[in-house]
Each structure stands twice: as structure tokens, then as C-alpha cells.
Amino acid sequence: MSTPDSSGLAPGAMLGILGGGQLARMLALAAADLGIRAHIFAPEPDSPAFDVAARHTVGDYEDEAALARFADAVDVVTYEFENVPAATAAFLAARTPLHPGARALAVTQDRLSEKSFVAELGLAVAPFRAVDSLADLKAAVADLGRPSILKTRRFGYDGKGQVKIAAGSDLAEAYEAIGHFSAILEGFVPFTREVSVVAARGADGAFAAFDVCENEHRDHILAFTRVPAQLSPKTGEAAIAAARRIGDALGYIGVFAVEMFVVGEGAAERVIVNEIAPRVHNSGHWTSEGAQTSQFHQHVRAVCGFPLGSATRRGRVEMENLIGVAALRWRDLLAEPGAHLHLYGKRDARPGRKMGHVTRVTPEKA
Amino acid sequence: MSTPDSSGLAPGAMLGILGGGQLARMLALAAADLGIRAHIFAPEPDSPAFDVAARHTVGDYEDEAALARFADAVDVVTYEFENVPAATAAFLAARTPLHPGARALAVTQDRLSEKSFVAELGLAVAPFRAVDSLADLKAAVADLGRPSILKTRRFGYDGKGQVKIAAGSDLAEAYEAIGHFSAILEGFVPFTREVSVVAARGADGAFAAFDVCENEHRDHILAFTRVPAQLSPKTGEAAIAAARRIGDALGYIGVFAVEMFVVGEGAAERVIVNEIAPRVHNSGHWTSEGAQTSQFHQHVRAVCGFPLGSATRRGRVEMENLIGVAALRWRDLLAEPGAHLHLYGKRDARPGRKMGHVTRVTPEKA
């Protein structure tokens, strides 16, 4: 619609998105608000994001011919998931801007490099040891004690690829359970709550964090996010400072989430970094109605080189995930005053499947 | 996603929309939030709504083969413009639910039947006379005086198809100017402001009006909407009651707008109905950020048979239309704190073309 300046695109541009799930879908919807068209690249022919995108490609992430055509057809590429193969990212980045960049993917795809990276920044992480054999595991458990958690280095999400090492756990069985993959053992963190910082970093280094939110998991899947988190102002500031540190160190462009554990109380309260997600994140869904700019709009702004929007919160917010059959409550949720229903257009309400979410915003007194 | 009950559809349904402009686009985006897919039917191959819809058909509104395929492929049909040909509406309504219904179209497509309908409900309208010849026009001007306005009965919008009859106007020239079409002459209304009521009526007769808004036109095109309108509470209630009366009398399902003139001051202040739009309306764009439920979500809820959402306002709101090159200010608007930019994905910023809009919400003190 006008000549883009050196730092960014203009409305009318085509945003390429790897992945066709609900995050890609909500990114495409936000892009449309800004006059940006979306081209979704995903292997599944019934990807929910296809329904709201100007173009889509059904293709494997290893299909270089399809990737090359995709790169030619878009102005910038982003993704909805951190497990984009490194070769795919490199192939695309050689042809078109890729945000967030390859370094963010490399660091966050591997729990060992992620933990090492965070620790090297001087931020607190759970104690950890690399585990590449049963012998490693035995040594690590001897070091870190029980309980502790054995996690595959790659491809874990929603509690998959993890096994708890409890007092009576057999270590050979545990190593078997994660399929002999390269792993890390993490020492137990006696946390009182789980929080996350969802934040954006612009191409110009600008930084905007949403308020720290508090997450409640059930069966290892996020069930509720509530904002603001119950934290001392000092701990909240430290959490946001940690996210900023991470974003700066990665030269990050886009929205990312840093999941943290809260340990200690009163003056001893502090956060321990658990995981970095180089993408929009389920714990940021509350921003759609709960913040001046949603995480999806913010990510589109950042990856297109537009100015970041205000991350100011609009009130006290609760986000409830609708998992599996919980989405069948849609009619009641539509009738609930003040509830905002978001459904992802998935056909089958399978157990454990994220079908939608609801936000509830309660204005705060000035 | 579940069996629809007799009154409505379920998420996963396909909503057919006639027309592919910005209203259809914003309806499709709202539908996506509720897990409803959109199928757009429009004659223009580069319709902005195509970019956000699951399916689209490029076809003429008179192409019965294309309309039949469209009707078979959707669960309900709605439209973004009131000039849907009567034959098209009848053809579709015989095959699939059409909301709002044929009666709403018939009444509002023709200024004479619209004015007569409103007057018969006992609501105030400008004095009017049917004009089908120059002789009619002369008699009507003798009756209603000057200034007055000659308007074609059909296909007028944004001031098109209208000519003012001023003190020195030549009547033959005026009749020529509107192309000898069937017309009406409207007497001059000395209004102090223009307001509109945007409201929804559900399949069950439920009614939910957004707060009365005030409209500022420039060159006959809406430039700004501000909410709340500066009206006495009594006049505001009367405006909403008038809209409700109209919706009930039409057996209306969906969102509609009633444009009104405000005349008189103090105790003499009252509203005069100007025009009914059987669709979402530009003067309702403020609801996207300014109300609990946007007009687009509300319309989707109504035509799908879902419960209406809350129409509660979130603060003082201003909506600014971006006409033509005004949209080139997009980068400044993205950087403006609290401004919400909406662009329609149109490629050329031609003069008079609605390219996007901005909303600004200022929270009110409790």
C-alpha cells in the first residue's frame, strides 16, 4: 500500500507461517486486521489455519521444492512451533527473512542448550545434567537427588517425553520410558506457582512485555491463566527483566514466552526460568481481550518490522482452555455475560486436544 | 462439533456471505473466532473478504447455477449489502436459511417502501412524496418547499443518487441529474446532529442495542463515529425503542442500523428516522474494541441462532474512517498509543474508497 522502509513491510504484504494449528490461525486473523495476508505451510490437509488464510500449501517441512515456492510467494516467514527442523529454517532463511531467527530455534529446540544458555546469562535455572546413557542417568541422580525429572532434550511438549524419578523409581525403566533419546535430568524445584512472561522484541530492539501471568496446569496441559500473577512487585520486575535479557541475547524478533517457577516466599521469593517458547504462547491467549494489543497482533507487528503496540492490561483476566469435550459447552459460554469464546475450528473434540479457550476480563477500579 | 438444536447451528458450520467487501471480511473474521467457517460469494475476483474465508465463489448474483452450488455448500446465508437482488434472495431462501430475511431486503431496498413502513409504525420520518415524473417533482416541491432533497428510490449510498433542490434549482435539471429513475422528494429536516442505533435481534426475538452513536459525515461519507452520542437520556431511549420497533416489525434476525436525525433542543429534542440498513454498518465499527461484543460477532451469533452477546460499551469511543490516501498514515496510527488500526486489504487507495478504520477507546471513570 506504500513503499516499505528499510526496516519493514507494508500492509498488503504476505506473511508466511509454518504450522497450521490454532496459533497460526490466530496469527492469520491478527494479520488480516492489519491488512497483511497469510500463507500457511503445513503438512496436515485439514489444518485449522487454512480456513482463515489467503493461501496455503500442504507440504512436508522437508520438501525443498515446496519450501522454495513458499519462500518465493511470501515477504517474511514466521512459525507457530519451536520444532521447525534446523535444515528447514536454514533453507528458508537463505531465501526470505525468517523471524524469529535460526538462533532462537537452535537454542530452544534442545533443553540442554536452552538451560545452558539461560544459565550463562546469569539467570536462575533448575540444576541439570546431560544424560546420554544409563550410566549418565545414574551419576546425575546421584548428583541431583530424588525427586528429579528426566526429560528428552528435543520434541517435548505438554508433559510428553518426561518421566519423574521418584524415591522408588527404577532408573533403567525410566531411561527406557523416554526411548533412550538424549536427555537431561533436572533437579526438583519446590515451586509455589508457575508463571510466564509473554513479551515482544521488535526489529529495532524495542521491548514490550505483557504483565506476568500465572498458569495452572492439569495433566501437564495448561488449564487456566490468570493475570496479574500473585507476585511481589520486585519478583515481577525480575521476571520481566529476565525475559528481556533472554530476548536481547537471542537478538530476538517477535513474541516469545518464558515459563518460570516461583520459589520462596516474602523477601526470599524469586523466579527460576523453566522454558523458553520462541513463538506466541497459550499463556498469552488472555491478551486478545485482556490487553491493548494481543500477542498475535504484537507478533505480526514485530516480524513485519512495524512499531510494537501497547502491552497495557485492561483489567483482571482469566483465560480458560477448552480441552476435548469441554468445548461442547460452547452454547453456555456464549450465553455467559462477559465471557469471550474462541474456537479453533477443529472438527473432533478428542481428549487432551486444545479446541478453544475463553477469556474473562474484569475491569479494575482506578 | 455437536448436534445443533432446532434454533441454530453449531461451531463447524459454514456461513455463506453475499458480498466480498470489508463488511464481509470482518464478518468472516468474527465467524472464525466462533469456529464458524465462511464461504464468500462475490462477483469481483479480488474481493478483500476472500483472503480470510475458508471458501469463495466468484460469481454474479444472477448466476443461478453458481447460487445453487453455494446454497448447497453452506448452512445459512447472510449478506453485507442491502441491494441483493430480490430474485437472488428468493432463490437462496428457497434452498437454505437466509438471515436477515427477504422482507427486510424488500422494505429497505426502496426508499419509498422504507419511509412508508417507518411512518406506518408511528415513527417520525421526514415528509416525503413519490416522484415518477417531472410533474410529480413539481407538485412535490410545491408541497414540501425548498430546500428539499430528491433521491432515487433504489441503489443510493454515500450520497450517490441524490440531488439537493435549493432556492434556485431547476427542477428539470434535477430530475435529469438522477437519471429519471423512480424517486422520492424528502422535505428538509433542520437537524442538529446525525446519530445511529446499531442493534441485533435474535431468532428468538431477543434484542440488544449498542449505545446510540453520533456520526460525522464529510462529502457524504462517514468520517467519524463517536459514542456516546450527545443526547438526553430520554431521546436516547426513544431512539433505541424506535430501532426495536423496526426490528420486531420486520421479524428481523441479525444486526441492523437505523440512521436518525436529531432535531430540536432541550425538552423538544427528538429523533427522525432517516434510513435502515439491514446489515452490519460502518457506524458500528467502533464496537470491535468499544463494546463487549462487536457488531460482527453479534451478527454471526444472531444468524447462526446462537445467544446474543453483551452490547455493553467499554468506554468513550471514537471511530475514524480511513478514506483513500488517509490509509497511508498506517505507520503513524500503529505507533499511536491506544489506537486500534483495521485495514481491509484493498490494494489501491483510490479517492473516496474506504481503506480501513481506527478505533480509540478511553475508559470512563466508574
Side-chain angles (χ1 to χ4, degrees), chain A residues 144-169:
Chain A
L144 303 183
R146 303 176 185 228
S148 48
I149 304 174
L150 182 64
K151 298 180 176 179
T152 56
R153 281 172 60 174
R154 291 176 168 272
F155 303 119
Y157 72 99
D158 287 351
K160 292 177 175 62
Q162 301 194 8
V163 59
K164 190 172 174 186
I165 309 290
S169 302

Side-chain angles (χ1 to χ4, degrees), chain B residues 34-353:
Chain B
L34 304 181
I36 301 286
R37 292 176 297 153
H39 184 152
I40 309 288
F41 189 108
E44 303 82 8
D46 63 344
S47 296
F50 291 171
D51 283 348
V52 298
R55 293 188 59 186
H56 69 262
T57 298
V58 179
D60 289 324
Y61 298 121
E62 290 77 20
D63 180 344
E64 293 199 345
L67 289 171
R69 283 193 301 273
F70 173 66
D72 285 348
V74 302
D75 296 299
V76 57
V77 172
T78 190
Y79 41 85
E80 66 156 4
F81 67 116
E82 57 270 47
N83 291 320
V84 175
T88 305
F91 184 89
L92 290 171
R95 284 160 180 78
T96 187
L98 174 75
H99 299 310
R103 176 154 155 72
L105 284 173
V107 167
T108 60
Q109 281 180 356
D110 181 318
R111 288 185 200 279
L112 181 61
S113 50
E114 183 178 72
K115 283 263 185 318
S116 307
F117 165 78
V118 174
E120 279 162 22
L121 290 178
L123 302 171
V125 292
F128 64 97
R129 296 289 182 276
V131 172
D132 283 299
S133 65
L134 181 56
D136 283 352
L137 178 58
K138 286 177 180 168
V141 171
D143 257 18
L144 302 183
R146 303 177 185 229
S148 48
I149 304 173
L150 182 64
K151 298 179 176 179
T152 55
R153 282 172 59 175
R154 292 176 167 273
F155 304 120
Y157 71 98
D158 286 353
K160 292 178 175 61
Q162 302 193 8
V163 58
K164 190 174 175 185
I165 310 290
S169 302
D170 181 82
L171 297 188
E173 262 174 36
Y175 193 54
E176 194 70 31
I178 62 153
H180 298 255
F181 286 112
S182 285
I184 65 172
L185 186 77
E186 287 183 17
F188 177 70
V189 175
F191 62 86
T192 54
R193 42 178 54 100
E194 296 176 71
V195 299
S196 52
V197 176
V198 178
R201 192 169 176 279
D204 56 354
F207 178 83
F210 296 105
D211 283 357
V212 185
C213 57
E214 193 164 328
N215 301 316
E216 182 186 333
H217 291 82
R218 292 188 185 166
D219 300 326
H220 296 286
I221 300 175
L222 183 65
F224 289 94
T225 298
R226 296 182 183 91
V227 206
Q230 304 220 6
L231 284 183
S232 73
K234 188 168 142 268
T235 310
E237 283 162 27
I240 287 174
R244 183 166 199 161
R245 204 80 203 263
I246 289 168
D248 286 344
L250 291 172
Y252 196 90
I253 295 176
V255 164
F256 62 106
V258 184
E259 296 186 82
M260 305 180 191
F261 297 127
V262 182
V263 296
E265 287 189 49
E269 184 184 75
R270 65 197 182 97
V271 288
I272 291 180
V273 172
N274 180 34
E275 233 176 88
I276 306 166
R279 54 171 171 82
V280 290
H281 193 259
N282 197 164
S283 71
H285 287 3
W286 64 270
T287 59
S288 289
E289 285 78 28
Q292 284 282 346
T293 307
S294 83
Q295 67 167 347
F296 305 103
H297 290 83
Q298 194 74 301
H299 187 74
V300 172
R301 284 171 176 248
V303 302
C304 290
F306 298 167
L308 298 183
S310 161
T312 302
R313 192 162 46 82
R314 283 181 172 150
R316 301 188 70 81
V317 193
E318 177 185 270
M319 187 287 304
E320 178 186 358
N321 262 347
L322 300 175
I323 312 286
V325 294
L328 300 180
R329 289 159 50 213
W330 62 268
R331 185 175 279 273
D332 290 341
L333 292 167
L334 281 174
E336 181 189 318
H340 289 269
L341 177 64
H342 299 264
L343 292 172
Y344 306 150
K346 298 180 183 177
R347 279 162 193 74
D348 303 314
R350 292 197 295 268
R353 195 176 199 202

Side-chain angles (χ1 to χ4, degrees), chain A residues 1-5 7-12 25-26 28-29 31-38 50-55 289 291-293 297 301 304-310 314 327-328 330-331 333-335 337-347 349 355 361 363 365-366, chain B residues 1-5 7-12 25-26 28-29 31-38 50-55 289 291-293 297 301 304-310 314 327-328 330-331 333-335 337-347 349 355 361 363 365-366:
Chain A
M1 202 158 77
S2 75
T3 313
D5 64 26
S7 68
L9 309 171
R25 178 178 167 102
M26 290 186 276
L29 291 171
D33 273 344
L34 304 180
I36 302 286
R37 291 175 298 153
F50 290 171
D51 283 348
V52 298
R55 294 188 60 184
E289 285 78 28
Q292 285 281 346
T293 307
H297 290 83
R301 283 170 175 250
C304 289
F306 298 167
L308 297 184
S310 161
R314 283 181 171 149
L328 299 181
W330 61 269
R331 185 174 278 273
L333 293 166
L334 281 173
H340 289 269
L341 177 64
H342 298 264
L343 292 172
Y344 306 149
K346 299 181 182 177
R347 280 161 193 73
M355 301 296 294
V361 183
K365 302 291 176 209
Chain B
M1 202 159 75
S2 73
T3 313
D5 63 28
S7 68
L9 309 171
R25 179 179 166 102
M26 290 186 276
L29 292 172
D33 272 344
L34 304 181
I36 301 286
R37 292 176 297 153
F50 291 171
D51 283 348
V52 298
R55 293 188 59 186
E289 285 78 28
Q292 284 282 346
T293 307
H297 290 83
R301 284 171 176 248
C304 290
F306 298 167
L308 298 183
S310 161
R314 283 181 172 150
L328 300 180
W330 62 268
R331 185 175 279 273
L333 292 167
L334 281 174
H340 289 269
L341 177 64
H342 299 264
L343 292 172
Y344 306 150
K346 298 180 183 177
R347 279 162 193 74
M355 301 296 293
V361 182
K365 301 290 176 209

Side-chain angles (χ1 to χ4, degrees), chain A residues 192-212:
Chain A
T192 54
R193 44 177 51 99
E194 296 177 72
V195 299
S196 53
V197 176
V198 178
R201 191 170 178 279
D204 56 356
F207 177 82
F210 297 104
D211 284 356
V212 184

